[in-house]
């Protein structure tokens, strides 16, 4: 199998062309073809000599692969299924919304976190995605040129694959890469401590923490990672950083009926986050098989939001999208892996 050029940094490409005996400036040409012109083959790199294209093609390929399936919602949301070179399936979701278009990307095949409400966790963990796997979800997207934002909220725990996530976000924001502002990228995590601190120190992208319950003992029932990475400890780490300028901090809160949707939880959430520059996103639960959790009434979400806002924490209710197309993360790839007809 040939090595992919997609996902390589400029420095890595300089090392490759040096090893192959090509002129140093060839690395700049290659990186421009991949990330600026977004070519799909080495043969398209026409300002490289025929000899150098042939030399490069012996061991390398651009490494772009199209989605193998897609499902389109009545609201315009599109879920794409990709197959990795190893034969695993991952999902991305394209979400158009007026003048915005967001792509939700995956960072792992499966996930170790095993959150009760997440279908991806039911798959177990099969491996990390490479930077090329992550970037391919954008690079090969039919709606690629309409994208305004990317969120790492798909399959997997980004901080459990931080090297590849940081490599991908570097290429998305670098002058030699996609040239995006870090403000267009949000990375979500349950809050792995070591990864959290490293991300905050090495990246300027927005951060979203999967919270879902402010009471540790109950959060642990929903999210086993709470036992190792307490939400109270996570918040204390976050208090050491400045979120009053460019970078935004948000907390994701799926609202479950009869579980975490009363004002008792809103009050605990206010106590937990008081004094922290942040926002809270309330999210409707997308039902998954064999899990005894249910959605809450819209009125409860409104009361919850209003209480939070009245007590100084900017809170929104995220619009639910794609409920008619296996909207919950992991459903489409699980069906594909198990050979279930959709």
């Amino acid at each position: 199998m040939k090595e992919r050029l997609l996902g390589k940094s400029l420095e890595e490409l300089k090392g490759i062309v040096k090893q192959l005996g090509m002129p140093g400036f060839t690395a700049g040409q290659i990186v421009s073809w991949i990330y600026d012109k977004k070519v799909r083959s080495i043969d398209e790199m026409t300002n490289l000599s025929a000899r150098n294209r042939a030399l490069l093609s012996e061991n390398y390929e651009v490494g772009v692969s199209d989605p193998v399936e897609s499902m389109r919602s009545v609201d315009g949301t599109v879920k794409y299924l990709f197959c990795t070179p190893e034969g695993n399936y991952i999902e991305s979701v394209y979400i158009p919304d007026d003048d915005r278009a967001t792509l939700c990307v995956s960072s792992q095949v499966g996930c170790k976190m095993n959150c009760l409400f997440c279908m991806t966790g039911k798959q177990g963990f099969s491996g990390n995605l490479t930077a090329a796997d992550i970037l391919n979800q954008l690079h090969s997207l039919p709606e690629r040129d309409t994208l305004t934002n990317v969120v790492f909220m798909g399959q997997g725990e980004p901080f459990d694959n931080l090297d590849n996530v940081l490599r991908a976000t570097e290429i998305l924001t670098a002058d030699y890469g996609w040239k995006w502002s870090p403000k267009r990228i949000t990375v979500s995590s349950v809050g792995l401590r070591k990864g959290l601190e490293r991300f905050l120190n090495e990246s300027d992208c927005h951060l979203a923490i999967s919270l879902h319950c402010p009471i540790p003992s109950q959060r642990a029932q929903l999210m086993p990672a709470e036992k190792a990475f307490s939400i109270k400890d996570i918040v204390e780490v976050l208090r050491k950083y400045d979120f009053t300028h460019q970078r935004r901090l948000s907390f994701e809160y799926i609202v479950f009926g009869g579980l975490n949707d009363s004002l008792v939880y809103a009050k605990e959430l206010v106590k937990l986050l008081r004094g922290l520059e942040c926002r809270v996103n309330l999210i409707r639960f997308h039902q998954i098989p064999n899990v005894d959790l249910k959605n809450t009434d819209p009125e409860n979400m409104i009361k919850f939001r209003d209480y939070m806002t009245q007590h100084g924490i900017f809170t929104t209710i995220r619009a639910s999208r794609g409920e008619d197309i296996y909207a919950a993360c992991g459903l489409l790839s699980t069906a594909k892996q198990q050979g279930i007809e959709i």
Side-chain angles (χ1 to χ4, degrees):
M1 184 182 294
K2 292 183 179 181
E3 192 171 346
R4 288 183 286 179
L5 297 174
L6 184 68
K8 301 290 188 190
S9 68
L10 179 57
E11 285 303 311
E12 288 174 308
L13 289 170
K14 286 178 179 178
I16 289 171
V17 302
K18 183 177 181 180
Q19 185 179 29
L20 293 175
M22 298 179 184
F25 63 80
T26 311
Q29 294 174 321
I30 296 170
V31 82
S32 176
W33 282 112
I34 297 171
Y35 300 127
D36 186 22
K37 301 178 181 68
K38 299 181 176 63
V39 299
R40 301 176 69 91
S41 73
I42 292 170
D43 285 340
E44 295 177 75
M45 302 179 184
T46 52
N47 61 353
L48 274 65
S49 69
R51 175 187 175 276
N52 283 340
R53 291 200 302 271
L55 193 61
L56 195 59
S57 297
E58 286 180 11
N59 295 301
Y60 296 93
E61 61 182 355
V62 174
V64 177
S65 59
D66 291 325
V68 294
E69 286 185 20
S70 64
M71 299 184 74
R72 186 173 297 271
S73 169
V74 294
D75 64 20
T77 300
V78 188
K79 175 168 274 196
Y80 288 103
L81 187 72
F82 292 90
C83 185
T84 69
E86 296 75 27
N88 296 309
Y89 292 100
I90 58 168
E91 302 169 14
S92 304
V93 183
Y94 173 76
I95 310 166
D97 186 16
D98 295 329
D99 60 345
R100 290 168 59 93
T102 300
L103 184 68
C104 179
V105 299
S106 296
S107 57
Q108 292 182 311
V109 181
C111 186
K112 300 175 187 175
M113 300 301 108
N114 198 25
C115 297
L116 178 62
F117 49 82
C118 180
M119 194 68 196
T120 302
K122 309 296 180 284
Q123 295 178 6
F125 175 72
S126 297
N128 288 325
L129 296 184
T130 65
D133 294 327
I134 294 170
L135 291 171
N136 182 67
Q137 297 169 68
L138 291 85
H139 198 106
S140 65
L141 191 77
E143 301 89 352
R144 178 187 66 204
D145 295 335
T146 70
L147 287 178
T148 61
N149 298 84
V150 168
V151 294
F152 284 74
M153 296 181 182
Q155 294 172 263
E157 163 54 55
F159 288 178
D160 193 37
N161 185 23
L162 191 54
D163 284 342
N164 287 307
V165 168
L166 287 176
R167 182 188 296 252
T169 57
E170 176 197 331
I171 290 169
L172 288 173
T173 57
D175 288 339
Y176 68 78
W178 281 48
K179 305 178 180 65
W180 276 23
S181 164
K183 292 187 291 184
R184 297 172 65 178
I185 304 168
T186 301
V187 179
S188 175
S189 173
V190 301
L192 276 64
R193 174 70 179 264
K194 190 174 180 180
L196 174 63
E197 293 178 329
R198 187 178 161 202
F199 175 80
L200 289 169
N201 291 326
E202 296 182 24
S203 173
D204 293 321
C205 296
H206 294 322
L207 172 66
I209 296 294
S210 297
L211 199 160
H212 310 307
C213 186
I215 300 173
S217 60
Q218 295 182 28
R219 185 175 186 257
Q221 295 175 15
L222 289 170
M223 307 172 67
E226 164 68 26
K227 298 168 187 175
F229 309 102
S230 165
I231 189 60
K232 291 185 176 180
D233 291 343
I234 292 165
V235 169
E236 288 310 305
V237 170
L238 294 171
R239 291 188 187 280
K240 299 175 184 177
Y241 292 84
D242 184 2
F243 296 99
T244 60
H245 299 295
Q246 298 275 330
R247 170 183 276 167
R248 185 173 67 233
L249 170 64
S250 58
F251 290 90
E252 309 296 305
Y253 193 96
I254 299 176
V255 188
F256 303 103
L259 183 65
N260 66 348
D261 59 343
S262 73
L263 292 186
V264 170
Y265 292 88
K267 292 174 183 177
E268 289 297 320
L269 201 51
V270 167
K271 284 197 288 186
L272 177 68
L273 303 180
R274 183 176 286 123
L276 190 60
E277 185 69 27
C278 66
R279 66 177 62 192
V280 172
N281 296 318
L282 303 180
I283 304 167
R284 283 174 51 83
F285 174 55
H286 287 188
Q287 195 71 42
I288 63 173
N290 304 316
V291 171
D292 189 22
L293 293 170
K294 60 183 180 180
N295 215 333
T296 189
D297 294 328
E299 295 80 7
N300 287 340
M301 294 187 78
I302 292 170
K303 289 177 184 177
F304 201 109
R305 178 200 63 194
D306 291 348
Y307 181 90
M308 298 287 293
T309 302
Q310 290 163 8
H311 288 79
I313 297 179
F314 179 63
T315 302
T316 63
I317 298 174
R318 182 179 294 167
S320 186
R321 302 293 299 270
E323 291 194 71
D324 56 327
I325 56 162
Y326 276 52
C329 185
L331 279 175
L332 183 56
S333 58
T334 299
K336 186 68 174 179
Q337 288 168 3
Q338 295 179 355
I340 300 171
E341 286 294 326
I342 299 171

